Amino acid sequence: MTSATEVLRQSVVVFSKNYLPVSRVNIKRAIALLVMRKAEPLDFTDSKGYLVRSPSVVLLVPEQIRLTITDAERVWRVPPVNRKEVLRRDKHTCQYCGSTKQLTLDHVLPRSKGGKHSWDNVVIACERCNSLKGNCTPIQAGMTLRTKPKAPMHPTVAFAEQFWREQQVNLD
């Protein structure tokens, strides 16, 4: 038997009206969506969900819900290339050595050699690696990038990809 505080710590996956996984919400938000009839329960798995009790109601909250309302999609734009956004994309980690200390922006192809200040040319590097690389390309400096730099993707798309990846792992 799970305690009330354990149940309140749970989260529920929210699907759009056309069954695209869009986010994960806490159980209180899921209950509000279900009670206001803005969402309906989905059952993709054999799990029973979470039993939530109040003095007058017992509610079974499933692990997945589907929105029944059509909400105007918010417009999402690729964020500007700046330190904060690149740090977020690169998970506050040097893309050459993996350090999390003394982080700076590095242009993979230096600007002096025609490199642009764009998502596919800017990475996070620690001061040491940035200094070692200097005004060279990673190949010239004998360094390799841990990941290929690219623009961040729409948060909903990123969530959907992660959700389906986790479902695949659970099936294996």
Side-chain angles (χ1 to χ4, degrees), residues 134-165:
N135 198 27
C136 302
T137 65
I139 294 168
Q140 292 169 336
M143 302 169 81
T144 55
L145 283 167
R146 292 171 164 239
T147 57
K148 186 176 192 286
K150 62 182 182 177
M153 68 174 77
H154 191 291
T156 300
V157 173
F159 179 82
E161 278 189 1
Q162 179 185 350
F163 175 81
W164 292 118
R165 214 176 297 119

Side-chain angles (χ1 to χ4, degrees), residues 19 38 48 50 54 65 73 102 110 122 125-126 129 132 137 142:
Y19 296 92
K38 291 184 176 185
K48 303 287 185 239
Y50 310 106
S54 79
I65 59 175
E73 292 256 348
Q102 299 177 317
V122 176
C126 66
C129 288
L132 280 171
T137 65

Side-chain angles (χ1 to χ4, degrees), residues 20-59:
L20 173 72
V22 292
S23 67
R24 185 175 288 277
V25 296
N26 66 41
I27 201 158
K28 292 180 220 172
R29 179 70 179 136
I31 292 168
L33 289 168
L34 289 166
V35 169
M36 294 185 305
R37 301 203 187 287
K38 291 184 176 185
E40 63 186 11
L42 282 181
D43 190 21
F44 290 137
T45 62
D46 297 334
S47 70
K48 303 287 185 239
Y50 310 106
L51 206 54
V52 179
R53 301 173 194 273
S54 79
S56 58
V57 178
V58 176
L59 186 63

